[in-house]
Amino acid sequence: QAERLGNSQTRPYGDGLEEAYRRRACLAADLKTAISDGQFRLVFQPLVRIRDRSVYGYEALIRWQHPVKGLLNPIDVIPIAENTGLIVDLGAWALREACREAATWRPDLSVSVNTSPVQLSRSDFPGLVEAVLADTGLDPERLEIEVTETSTIETPDKVTVAINKLRTMGLKVVLDDFGTGYSSLNTLQNFTFDKIKIDRVFTQSIETDARSRAIIRSAVLLGHSFKIPVLAEGVENERQLRFLKEAGCFAVQGYLFSKPINALQIPEAAFPKRPDPEHFKHLRAHP
Ligand code: C2E
Ligand code: MG
Ligand code: MG
Ligand code: MG
């Protein structure tokens, strides 16, 4: 073990922490101009029905093309955006951009947009969604808003109002990352969702962990007893897919089918242009 420590690239704890703070402060300053500078873009990951491996929609995921640091993933960006309050502008941008794209897709395809607690707790959020739908012409039925449990815990009353308004507008509200929060069951008890998405930590331990399998089976049964469909994220191989199918999941997303792709690579985009059959060939390659 001494050898491992000796070879380690990481600095002593205190130093690393200071470094992390510096990095964050730096990024926070850059973030202010990044949105208006057009440094953000969305990538899209297909949501695939297990039944016939058809794509029914895409989840929009944010990427920051930083001029110096290169491509940054949301794990480095979203927390800073949340702490600085910039998530409100960033989230609004992502929502608008996702709806604008989806409006060019085949009309049966939906788009899923992630939200952070800060956004959902603002009373103007449903109004923003309404304005974006009006501006982009996207049918509300084609928009799914992904909500994490953190939102439902931090400001439950405000989030209840938001979820109910959105559902009344005809949108679908999805409980994202199910099972990873502090009180997944409480959340299901107190809020109404249209879908449940099981977190990828469970999917990725299907083959090695009997408890994960038990949790997934129960989550699907729970969903079904509420009459809501359950999907799973992070599916990377056929064995995981087979288990999820047998457990009763209706859909999945994951590298098995596709990593998140650029809008231009979406075969169902620019409707009514016919999709290029070469795209997603692998999705249909199986019986
Ligand atoms: P999420 O909403 O749970 O999205 C799924 C994440 O899992 C994505 O990571 C996706 O690329 C990754 N993923 C999907 N399939 C696989 C797989 O088979 N294997 C592995 N290893 N990973 C897979 P990404 O794009 O890095 O996003 C991370 C998180 O950042 C998202 O998790 C979401 O919570 C947040 N996020 C992304 N975009 C936005 C946004 O516009 N607003 C907010 N508030 N959060 C966002
Ligand atoms: Mg999500
Ligand atoms: Mg998720
Ligand atoms: Mg997740």
Side-chain angles (χ1 to χ4, degrees), residues 10-187:
T10 55
R11 297 156 133 247
Y13 183 69
D15 228 24
L17 208 62
E18 209 173 281
E19 167 99 33
Y21 279 131
R22 237 193 327 270
R23 235 178 83 84
R24 284 196 158 210
C26 233
L27 280 180
D30 296 345
L31 196 57
K32 283 199 182 111
T33 50
I35 303 173
S36 51
D37 261 15
Q39 293 171 14
F40 281 99
R41 62 190 170 87
L42 293 178
V43 289
F44 297 89
Q45 189 178 34
L47 305 164
V48 181
R49 293 183 193 93
I50 296 182
R51 179 166 32 97
D52 56 359
R53 300 183 183 233
S54 59
V55 176
Y56 73 87
Y58 288 85
E59 178 175 11
L61 298 157
I62 226 159
R63 295 291 180 268
W64 182 4
Q65 190 67 55
H66 189 282
V68 179
K69 297 187 168 73
L71 190 66
L72 299 178
N73 283 324
I75 183 112
D76 298 312
V77 180
I78 300 291
I80 299 172
E82 283 175 342
N83 289 338
T84 52
L86 290 167
I87 190 70
V88 176
D89 289 342
L90 187 57
W93 173 84
L95 175 71
R96 189 171 288 276
E97 187 65 13
C99 292
R100 204 179 54 73
E101 282 296 341
T104 72
W105 300 345
R106 226 178 50 205
D108 57 302
L109 292 167
S110 64
V111 68
S112 298
V113 180
N114 292 286
T115 55
S116 98
V118 186
Q119 287 174 279
L120 273 176
S121 65
R122 286 174 60 108
S123 57
D124 60 357
F125 185 69
L128 170 73
V129 173
E130 200 162 34
V132 167
L133 288 171
D135 294 348
T136 59
L138 188 73
D139 181 347
E141 311 242 308
R142 296 176 60 193
L143 177 59
E144 301 191 338
I145 295 291
E146 297 198 359
V147 174
T148 61
E149 211 180 287
T150 320
S151 297
T152 63
I153 290 168
E154 284 181 8
T155 52
D157 298 341
K158 288 173 178 170
V159 171
T160 302
V161 173
I163 288 178
N164 292 342
K165 271 196 190 149
L166 293 171
R167 296 189 74 240
T168 308
M169 285 160 55
L171 274 71
K172 295 196 174 60
V173 180
V174 182
L175 178 56
D176 197 4
D177 298 341
F178 179 76
T180 55
Y182 293 106
S183 58
S184 303
L185 298 182
N186 259 309
T187 298

